[in-house]
């Protein structure tokens, strides 16, 4: 339709008629003469409105679902974060309990040998100072640590201090090939020398080639002059193999150390030696031997069978 004067007049006339009808309908209320026309229009356009609503509602539901999905994602993320924090706290608690148990074991060992110790933590491991098997501890000269002090943990001999700084010190481990310590067998008192062999068993050479040694026998440190570098009585290890003598004047043993060097954490530096040699008192108690189970043997008594009532009746 062209935009002419007639079309504009027609538009104005239609708008005026629409306003007039609206006014009449409002004033008439329920008795409005246009009520029938309104119901007719509702019956015609109602289904159309329902269809439009049904088409629009899924879109709204989808938007709401997306919004709720985002909320659920945030809740899941928060729960995951809380779960991670909880696991970390539990992990820290487990580590704290393990370290507390290790420290308690160290104090019991030091008490059994009457060693005056200062507790330290292993903070490094490696080839410091050119040694192959060393650890670094978090105590040094300002803490009273000196060179050639014995280092122990709750299981036994760890090594000796070789280098000391103001706040740290280097410990040569008993498994280092350059490490040698005098040993004494439990009970018999046979003397020898233990040498480290890395991650293998200690190599122990007894001075007495005829000494009677068997698998499972235990040994401790013999001690050094003036208790440096080794104090006496520190558990060293247990015999796992006795090599044949072959006519040699000495006897060779393979000894598994008590200390697990791959798990070192809390150690003690012996700053005060014992007043008396503790000898074998620091060794852990031997497991009790299982008691034999008594056996009961039941045998038939022929005389009782012969004098039974059944036998008399016969």
């Amino acid at each position: 339709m062209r935009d002419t004067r007639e079309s504009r007049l027609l538009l104005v006339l239609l708008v005026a008629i629409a306003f007039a009808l609206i006014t009449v309908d409002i004033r008439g209320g329920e008795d409005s003469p246009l009520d029938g026309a309104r119901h007719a229009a509702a019956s015609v356009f109602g289904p159309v409105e329902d269809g439009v609503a049904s088409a629009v509602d899924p879109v709204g539901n989808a938007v709401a679902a997306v919004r709720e999905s985002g909320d659920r994602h945030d809740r899941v993320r928060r729960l995951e974060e809380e779960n991670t924090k909880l696991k970390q706290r539990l992990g820290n608690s487990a580590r704290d309990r393990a370290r507390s148990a290790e420290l308690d074991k160290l104090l019991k060992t030091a008490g059994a040998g009457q060693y005056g110790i200062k507790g330290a933590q292993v903070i490094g491991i490696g080839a410091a100072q050119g040694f192959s098997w060393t650890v670094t501890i978090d105590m040094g000269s300002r803490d009273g640590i000196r060179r050639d002090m014995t280092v122990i943990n709750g299981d036994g001999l760890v090594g000796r201090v070789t280098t000391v700084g103001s706040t740290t010190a280097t410990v040569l481990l008993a498994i280092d090939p350059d490490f040698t310590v005098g040993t004494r067998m439990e009970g018999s008192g046979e003397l020898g020398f233990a040498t480290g062999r890395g991650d293998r068993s200690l190599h122990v050479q007894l001075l007495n080639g005829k000494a009677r040694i068997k698998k499972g026998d235990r040994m401790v440190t013999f001690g050094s002059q003036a208790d440096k570098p080794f104090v006496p009585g520190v558990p060293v290890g247990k015999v796992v193999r006795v090599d044949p003598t072959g006519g040699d004047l000495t006897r060779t043993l393979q000894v598994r150390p008590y200390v697990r060097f791959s798990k070192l954490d809390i150690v003690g530096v012996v700053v005060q030696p014992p007043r008396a040699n503790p000898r074998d008192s620091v060794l852990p108690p031997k497991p009790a031997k299982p008691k034999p189970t008594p056996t009961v043997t039941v045998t038939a008594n022929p005389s009782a069978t012969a004098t039974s009532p059944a036998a008399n009746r016969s």
Side-chain angles (χ1 to χ4, degrees), residues 48-69:
V48 178
E49 291 178 355
D50 291 339
V52 173
S54 62
V56 173
D57 283 348
V59 177
N61 293 335
V63 173
V66 171
R67 186 182 299 111
E68 292 176 359
S69 175

Side-chain angles (χ1 to χ4, degrees), residues 100-186:
S100 178
E102 190 173 352
L103 179 59
D104 183 65
K105 191 175 182 180
L106 170 62
L107 294 176
K108 288 181 179 178
T109 299
Q114 296 299 303
Y115 308 126
I117 65 169
K118 286 195 173 182
Q121 181 180 358
V122 174
I123 58 174
I125 183 170
Q129 309 301 327
F131 297 117
S132 299
W133 297 87
T134 62
V135 294
T136 302
I137 59 175
D138 62 350
M139 300 192 75
S141 58
R142 71 178 187 182
D143 304 298
I145 307 302
R146 300 290 181 266
R147 179 182 171 87
D148 286 337
M149 284 184 169
T150 308
V151 182
I152 65 174
N153 71 356
D155 295 316
L157 181 65
V158 171
R160 62 181 177 87
V161 177
T162 55
T163 306
V164 181
S166 60
T167 59
T168 61
T170 301
V171 177
L172 180 67
L173 301 180
I175 55 176
D176 189 273
D178 291 335
F179 187 97
T180 301
V181 58
T183 61
R184 185 178 56 79
M185 298 299 303
E186 177 187 15

Side-chain angles (χ1 to χ4, degrees), residues 80-308:
E80 289 177 347
E81 291 176 353
E82 293 174 0
N83 191 28
T84 300
K85 292 179 181 178
L86 179 60
K87 288 181 178 179
Q88 290 175 349
R89 286 197 296 269
L90 291 175
N92 292 334
S93 177
R95 285 193 295 272
D96 291 341
R97 287 195 298 270
R99 296 184 68 187
S100 178
E102 190 173 352
L103 179 59
D104 183 65
K105 191 175 182 180
L106 170 62
L107 294 176
K108 288 181 179 178
T109 299
Q114 296 299 303
Y115 308 126
I117 65 169
K118 286 195 173 182
Q121 181 180 358
V122 174
I123 58 174
I125 183 170
Q129 309 301 327
F131 297 117
S132 299
W133 297 87
T134 62
V135 294
T136 302
I137 59 175
D138 62 350
M139 300 192 75
S141 58
R142 71 178 187 182
D143 304 298
I145 307 302
R146 300 290 181 266
R147 179 182 171 87
D148 286 337
M149 284 184 169
T150 308
V151 182
I152 65 174
N153 71 356
D155 295 316
L157 181 65
V158 171
R160 62 181 177 87
V161 177
T162 55
T163 306
V164 181
S166 60
T167 59
T168 61
T170 301
V171 177
L172 180 67
L173 301 180
I175 55 176
D176 189 273
D178 291 335
F179 187 97
T180 301
V181 58
T183 61
R184 185 178 56 79
M185 298 299 303
E186 177 187 15
S188 66
E190 294 287 351
L191 302 182
F193 293 95
T195 303
R197 297 196 303 168
D199 56 357
R200 295 182 294 170
S201 301
L202 300 176
H203 178 90
V204 178
Q205 192 170 33
L206 295 182
L207 300 181
N208 182 5
K210 298 181 180 180
R212 294 183 178 181
I213 305 296
K214 64 181 182 301
K215 184 177 179 181
D217 286 351
R218 307 184 298 180
M219 63 182 59
V220 297
T221 56
F222 176 72
S224 306
Q225 184 176 5
D227 299 308
K228 287 188 177 181
F230 303 110
V231 295
V234 180
V236 175
K238 182 184 298 185
V239 176
V240 293
R241 194 179 75 183
V242 180
D243 294 337
T245 58
D248 296 335
L249 298 178
T250 60
R251 189 155 203 182
T252 302
L253 312 175
Q254 307 302 325
V255 174
R256 179 185 296 115
Y258 284 118
V259 174
R260 292 180 294 177
F261 293 93
S262 61
K263 296 184 177 181
L264 286 176
D265 186 13
I266 304 298
V267 299
V269 182
V270 181
V271 296
Q272 183 66 42
R275 293 182 179 180
N277 190 335
R279 299 187 67 82
D280 302 332
S281 63
V282 189
L283 285 167
K286 289 184 177 180
K289 294 182 178 180
K291 295 181 179 181
T293 304
T295 57
V296 178
T297 304
V298 179
T299 57
N301 190 343
S303 60
T305 305
T307 59
S308 64

